[in-house]
Amino acid sequence: DGGITQSPKYLFRKEGQNVTLSCEQNLNHDAMYWYRQDPGQGLRLIYYSQIVNDFQKGDIAEGYSVSREKKESFPLTVTSAQKNPTAFYLCASTRTLNQPQHFGDGTRLSIL
Amino acid sequence: AQSVTQPDIHITVSEGASLELRCNYSYGATPYLFWYVQSPGQGLQLLLKYFSGDTLVQGIKGFEAEFKRSQSSFNLRKPSVHWSDAAEYFCAVGDTNFGNEKLTFGTGTRLTIIP
């Protein structure tokens, strides 16, 4: 079955450590997105990518970095510069233009 | 900039009762509108979408929504809820200048079903 796979489901970060969240899709979608979800705040866009080797900052990109070396993969790195990284992170993809976004099951990041 | 308001943070309804979740948006042109549902610890699942045409759209799981331009609203309805409908519901608006490249989400409405 086609879909979006996020791993790991739970992740713990130590102070000063960078961590990378994985997002892989086999839907042949061009565009991919990373959102952060906090209680009572809905989803906020971190980064998005419309094509390989290109990506744009969303509304809350500070302290995060991404890469898009393959169409299927869009990993998100939470750097030590992100002072409040505890949240639920969702990856999404779409065929682009007029198509709904499909979501993975998320990664919950916590601080040790 | 576009925005979405879901005025109800939490709604409780009895099983079998009707449901309406409110969504108001702010956008200069005709927007793309979506409703998503999220179960605890899971990703979001698309319930329905409005792009153009008939203002009453049907979705999965017996949900429907009506686009009302004059009220800038896109309320979600279901005539009879089931216990399995308990979840969090998000309304989202897409920028038609850029297709579906960027969505703005509301803060969500949590639905509780009582027997």
Side-chain angles (χ1 to χ4, degrees), chain A residues 9 33 35 37 40-43 45 48 50 59 88 90 94 96-101 103-106 108, chain B residues 32 34 36 38 41-46 49 51 88 90 96-108:
Chain A
K9 191 167 182 64
Y33 307 79
Y35 293 92
Q37 186 177 24
Q41 294 194 44
L43 278 70
L45 182 64
Y48 65 104
Q50 295 174 258
D59 301 318
F88 191 52
L90 286 162
T94 180
T96 203
L97 292 182
N98 304 336
Q99 298 300 317
Q101 293 183 14
F103 285 81
D105 284 338
R108 186 165 300 280
Chain B
Y32 294 147
F34 307 84
Y36 286 87
Q38 183 182 35
Q42 301 295 313
L44 275 67
Q45 180 184 22
L46 179 71
K49 63 183 186 291
F51 286 168
E88 188 145 22
F90 292 93
T96 52
N97 288 325
F98 299 97
N100 189 32
E101 291 174 5
K102 290 185 69 174
L103 291 184
T104 300
F105 287 83
T107 52

Side-chain angles (χ1 to χ4, degrees), chain B residues 13-25:
Chain B
V13 300
S14 299
E15 189 169 14
S18 64
L19 171 71
E20 182 170 26
L21 302 182
R22 296 184 291 167
C23 173
N24 293 97
Y25 67 89

